[in-house]
Amino acid sequence: MKINSVLFRMTTQPTELLEATLTRHDEISPGVFVIGFIRQHEFLPGQAIKLGLDQEHPPRIYSICSGTNDDELCVLFNIKEDGFLTPRLAKLKAGDTVYASAPYGTFLGKNEPAWWIATGTGIAPFRSMLRSGMGENKQLVHGVRHLNQFYFSKEFENALGEDYHCCCSAEAMDGVYSGRVTGFVRERKLPIDHTYYICGQATMAVEVRDLLIAKGIPFEKIMTEIYF
């Protein structure tokens, strides 16, 4: 689940939730799901929706992980055991009803050269950008704790090749950087004229932002989305 960080960028959020029937409900890793329904709105790569099970309880916000030309609008989430929504979403099946808002948000992909930096399910908006034709001139850094958490890795490998950088902090494998995303970023010489997109948990996002600034990346070239 995600929010737009107050510290970085805000946008007007839609309030109306429309009924939608699930056409997809897949567990892609233990406790991690992709769910989708027929797309009812146009959207821009990197945007999000509000999602709920009814009109009474507050919805949660999820980045769209499908492409702009896909028939389905999909989101990625992992179960939060103490959460209200994700344990219930995990128990649904295709044919069940959810309530979703129109897409919105300002964490928008562009065709210019950029670095995409994500942890965990923060990979979702970058998959949307990739599937929307924005993979050229991109470097992707994806950090996870365990090797089975590189969601959509085959798609990224096929599209980006050596520009797809995997970082794993708890397990080791050939070709995977051993450590956190912050370690990878700290050790790299990075171009100062590229745009940097960061999506993931708050601590990581702030640490990476500060590392980029210390390397001379202008603040206005850093786009950040916070997940929690």
Side-chain angles (χ1 to χ4, degrees), residues 116-224:
W116 297 338
I117 303 170
T119 51
T121 55
I123 198 68
F126 302 127
R127 197 231 188 187
S128 178
M129 295 176 192
L130 182 74
R131 292 182 65 85
S132 301
M134 295 182 173
E136 188 175 355
N137 296 319
K138 301 299 189 298
Q139 300 273 342
L140 170 61
V141 184
H142 190 191
V144 300
R145 182 168 177 77
H146 298 287
L147 293 170
N148 65 354
Q149 296 172 325
F150 287 116
Y151 315 127
F152 313 122
S153 60
K154 292 301 181 184
E155 290 185 51
F156 290 117
E157 288 173 3
N158 292 338
L160 302 179
E162 294 182 355
D163 294 333
Y164 175 44
H165 311 284
C166 295
C167 307
C168 188
S169 61
E171 297 180 86
M173 188 174 76
D174 289 344
V176 174
Y177 177 84
S178 182
R180 299 175 62 220
V181 161
T182 47
F184 181 92
V185 171
R186 185 179 293 109
E187 296 171 13
R188 299 283 295 203
K189 183 176 181 179
L190 301 173
I192 64 173
D193 57 341
H194 288 193
T195 301
Y196 291 81
Y197 293 80
I198 309 169
C199 189
Q201 293 181 337
T203 300
M204 180 280 298
V206 172
E207 288 179 357
V208 171
R209 180 205 60 184
D210 290 347
L211 284 171
L212 294 176
I213 292 173
K215 287 177 174 288
I217 310 301
F219 180 79
E220 61 270 19
K221 301 290 284 187
I222 304 171
M223 304 281 290
T224 307

Side-chain angles (χ1 to χ4, degrees), residues 33-68:
F33 296 81
V34 173
I35 63 173
F37 49 86
I38 298 301
R39 179 165 55 86
Q40 303 177 58
H41 302 90
E42 301 295 325
F43 68 91
L44 299 173
Q47 288 190 312
I49 60 169
K50 290 183 177 182
L51 188 65
L53 293 177
D54 52 46
Q55 299 278 20
E56 286 73 43
H57 295 90
R60 304 296 190 263
I61 306 170
Y62 296 91
S63 288
I64 298 167
C65 69
S66 47
T68 53

Side-chain angles (χ1 to χ4, degrees), residues 101-113:
S101 74
Y104 71 100
T106 59
F107 189 73
L108 304 179
K110 297 182 179 179
N111 290 318
E112 63 190 24

